[in-house]
Amino acid sequence: MPAKKRVLVTGGAGFIGSNLVDRLLEKESEVIVFDNLSSGKMDFIENLLGDLLDPEAIEKACKDTDMVYHVAANPDVKLGASDTKVHLDQNILATYNLLEAMRKGSAKQIAFTSTSTVYGEASIMPTPENYGPLVPISLYGASKLACEALITSYSHTFDMQAWIFRFANIVGPRSTHGITVDFIKKLKENPRKLEILGDGKQEKSYLHVSECVNAILFAIEKNKKEVNIFNIGSEDTISATEIGKIVVEEMGLSDVEFTYTGGSRGWKGDVPRMRLGIEKLKAIGWKPEYTSERSVRETARAVIDKR
Ligand code: NAD
């Protein structure tokens, strides 16, 4: 049995963070949540508040901690096109503040929630971890790639250890954003019509948050290099229109007219196709059980029930 740790989870009040905290509470000696509640919810947690843009607060929280799960970020990919500073602050500067706090404190291990958007419009699909060059097309993707670079260079320079997880679309209970949640909101407002961004043919991989958390914990236990990079996703894709149909079915609606804003992508910075290669995870013994369709369907059910 590995020794129990005192861990800090930034963004622990958010969708993925709070699901991760639930699992960590079962295996670690102490789990501290650090979150500014910008998009997280107090209902999800009972613990500490703090902002990563406050260096003193994060330094204090990192003191006497063994490991940090750095989940906090502004995850809104679309936003970068209208607000060019938000990802610079909330992702890059926030990560820098955390790394500085770790360098000065006791925590020398970091797990980071990165994203498929670091690959940009990849020409190889499924896209493996060693794909390159990495050419993000959204400011969000750029910020996450910058965070990855800061984390790997801090690991090397200051003898830290890092796990970087590049996620596909993660869905599930407590989802507060993303296409499924968006469609549910729109259909609650108008149950006769659903506007889909782009041409609806965008094909992407969706993974249930419970599987995502399993994969994170599994990879950390099995891989102990200085820097460990893993894609986490499902083994198939689903289109935006198919997601629309699932949501309509799960809401018990019929005769819904689908309209499209047109073009192959939902917005500037969106990629029309995304599927990550997960051979690296499979080689160490982890593979997803759910299809994208099942993950989306379960998410729709959970989110509809909550609203
Ligand atoms: P979320 O918005 O639910 O969670 C982010 C959390 O970080 C929130 O609780 C928010 O309050 C907190 N936060 C933001 N800025 C902060 C700051 N300055 N200080 C302290 N706390 C702060 O989003 P999520 O979907 O759970 O995403 C979690 C992580 O996974 C993010 O890093 C995101 O970029 C990454 N990710 C998510 C997906 C996905 O499909 N959901 C895909 C790829 C990567």
Side-chain angles (χ1 to χ4, degrees):
M1 273 279 281
K4 288 193 171 196
K5 292 178 179 159
R6 184 172 193 268
V7 302
L8 181 76
V9 183
T10 72
F15 160 49
I16 298 172
S18 65
N19 279 284
L20 176 65
V21 166
D22 288 349
R23 287 291 306 282
L24 288 171
L25 284 168
E26 293 165 13
K27 72 184 276 285
E28 302 296 6
S29 59
E30 201 176 335
V31 182
I32 304 148
V33 168
F34 190 89
D35 199 295
N36 71 357
L37 296 185
S38 56
S39 56
K41 292 190 181 167
M42 206 51 196
D43 318 352
F44 297 163
I45 52 144
E46 295 169 358
N47 232 309
L48 181 105
L49 300 183
D51 196 322
L52 281 164
L53 296 182
D54 176 351
E56 270 176 36
I58 185 62
E59 233 175 80
K60 216 163 138 198
C62 271
K63 221 166 163 258
D64 308 322
T65 296
D66 301 309
M67 176 164 182
V68 179
Y69 289 81
H70 179 33
V71 185
N74 181 302
D76 186 347
V77 189
K78 277 194 215 85
L79 194 58
S82 55
D83 181 345
T84 54
K85 196 152 179 289
V86 65
H87 296 127
L88 182 75
D89 289 339
Q90 298 300 335
N91 301 354
I92 305 177
L93 189 56
T95 300
Y96 167 75
N97 286 344
L98 171 64
L99 288 166
E100 276 295 283
M102 289 177 66
R103 181 175 69 81
K104 294 175 190 163
S106 54
K108 298 294 169 212
Q109 294 181 310
I110 180 169
F112 176 61
T113 54
S114 190
T115 152
S116 63
T117 60
V118 298
Y119 295 116
E121 286 190 282
S123 56
I124 298 174
M125 207 125 325
T127 313
E129 289 86 351
N130 61 3
Y131 175 87
L134 297 176
V135 185
I137 60 164
S138 60
L139 273 65
Y140 167 79
S143 73
K144 286 291 197 169
L145 185 54
C147 293
E148 287 194 10
L150 280 174
I151 290 168
T152 60
S153 54
Y154 264 74
S155 294
H156 186 76
T157 312
F158 303 109
D159 298 321
M160 296 180 182
Q161 194 179 17
W163 289 265
I164 291 172
F165 298 106
R166 295 178 179 155
F167 295 163
N169 289 314
I170 307 301
V171 294
R174 301 182 192 159
S175 270
T176 50
H177 54 100
I179 184 168
T180 313
V181 175
D182 242 34
F183 284 177
I184 293 168
K185 262 191 218 149
K186 283 181 174 169
L187 286 167
K188 289 234 155 139
E189 276 162 36
N190 182 355
R192 308 210 63 87
K193 207 169 168 175
L194 179 63
E195 184 193 69
I196 296 179
L197 303 182
D199 59 10
K201 294 187 182 130
Q202 304 94 305
E203 283 278 343
K204 302 189 191 185
S205 156
Y206 292 81
L207 186 77
H208 197 276
V209 67
S210 60
E211 297 210 283
C212 172
V213 170
N214 281 342
I216 292 174
L217 299 178
F218 189 87
I220 291 173
E221 208 176 298
K222 297 279 176 193
N223 266 55
K224 308 277 184 198
K225 291 190 191 144
E226 182 177 276
V227 172
N228 310 272
I229 302 181
F230 286 95
N231 285 337
I232 300 185
S234 63
E235 293 194 279
D236 62 355
T237 59
I238 186 169
S239 74
T241 296
E242 283 168 316
I243 294 177
K245 287 183 187 158
I246 293 172
V247 172
V248 165
E249 265 173 46
E250 293 300 328
M251 288 178 81
L253 301 172
S254 55
D255 297 327
V256 177
E257 182 198 350
F258 286 12
T259 63
Y260 297 92
T261 58
S264 62
R265 59 187 88 232
W267 59 86
K268 208 81 177 143
D270 182 28
V271 294
R273 288 167 64 229
M274 180 271 285
R275 188 181 149 195
L276 301 176
I278 56 163
E279 293 311 312
K280 216 175 145 182
L281 263 183
K282 283 164 85 174
I284 60 167
W286 188 89
K287 84 194 257 307
E289 284 173 16
Y290 287 24
T291 57
S292 290
E293 199 250 325
R294 180 173 168 198
S295 297
V296 168
R297 196 173 285 283
E298 288 200 7
T299 305
R301 268 179 211 158
V303 175
I304 293 162
D305 280 352
K306 279 271 313 168
R307 281 165 190 262

